[in-house]
Amino acid sequence: MTSDPFQAYKETQRDNWKSFAPLAMTTTPSAAKLVHFAGVRPNQRVLDVGCGTGVVAITARRAGGIVTGFDLTPELLAVAKESAAIAELDDITWKEGDVENLPFRDAEFDVVLSQFAHIFAPRPEVAIQEMLRVLKAGGRIAFHTWPPELFIGRMFALTASYLPPPDPKPAPPHQWGDPNIVLQRLG
Ligand SMILES: C[S@@+](CC[C@H](N)C(=O)[O-])C[C@H]1O[C@@H](n2cnc3c(N)ncnc32)[C@H](O)[C@@H]1O
């Protein structure tokens, strides 16, 4: 049996993200951009990692994808299901779990998306390995992140500077906003 050194950290994350739903109004406009950028086409299998309230998953479904929304936080998945029902999209699969341990087969998806989400995994190398594992050869991975030098990135750095250092230490989410780090991590 392997144990996760970040289990307690992820439980806290899950608890903190519960209240994110009202803020999804700030991530809804960029969802359309991400789905467009990834070139989602009808009948492609699409995974939305860290789907939250489902803004990307629902947009990808509207583009014709066969969509799975996946998230750590059950309260947000409940909102996503409710929104999909209002939009009369009853064939999106919603699943709870951790991006560092995706419950999907190798090469199951044509497109893997993440909007401001996988960046919160404490071990980027584990998260990206999982996201690439479930992606078909020749498939597409696309994500939105916050650059460290702009408002949200700076806010994260500021908040972290006032918190006690966590043990073990997770990788800072804003590193995913540095194109050089993204290139290294994607190999
Ligand atoms: C800023 S919200 C973004 C939600 C959504 N993608 C959007 O654009 O509105 C971050 C999301 O990442 C999820 N998340 C954080 N850590 C995660 C993990 N280890 N595995 C899966 N999801 C995670 C949270 O539950 C939350 O829904």
Side-chain angles (χ1 to χ4, degrees), residues 10 47 49-50 70-72 97-103 114 117-123 126-131:
K10 288 172 188 170
L47 175 64
V49 168
F70 180 81
D71 202 280
L72 189 68
D98 173 13
V99 61
E100 292 190 351
N101 184 19
L102 290 175
S114 163
H118 75 288
I119 60 173
F120 294 103
R123 296 174 295 183
V126 178
I128 202 67
Q129 191 184 1
E130 278 294 87
M131 291 164 75

Side-chain angles (χ1 to χ4, degrees), residues 118-119 124 128 143 145-146 172-178 181-182 185:
H118 75 288
I119 60 173
I128 202 67
F143 39 82
T145 62
W146 289 297
H174 64 71
Q175 284 183 345
W176 277 107
D178 178 339
I181 293 182
V182 172
R185 288 179 178 169

Side-chain angles (χ1 to χ4, degrees), residues 10 13 17 20 24 27 48-56 70-73 76 97-100 114-118 120-122 146:
K10 288 172 188 170
Q13 286 269 303
W17 284 116
F20 176 75
T27 57
D48 177 14
V49 168
C51 64
T53 61
V55 290
V56 169
F70 180 81
D71 202 280
L72 189 68
T73 310
L76 296 181
D98 173 13
V99 61
E100 292 190 351
S114 163
Q115 175 162 268
F116 312 124
H118 75 288
F120 294 103
W146 289 297

Side-chain angles (χ1 to χ4, degrees), residues 159-172:
T159 314
S161 72
Y162 283 96
L163 292 172
D167 182 26
K169 197 172 182 300

Side-chain angles (χ1 to χ4, degrees), residues 45 47 95 101-110 112 129-136:
R45 296 199 166 269
L47 175 64
K95 216 167 190 151
N101 184 19
L102 290 175
F104 305 111
R105 295 188 310 275
D106 294 358
E108 192 168 331
F109 296 97
D110 302 293
V112 174
Q129 191 184 1
E130 278 294 87
M131 291 164 75
L132 293 174
R133 177 185 66 74
V134 302
L135 184 66
K136 275 184 190 153

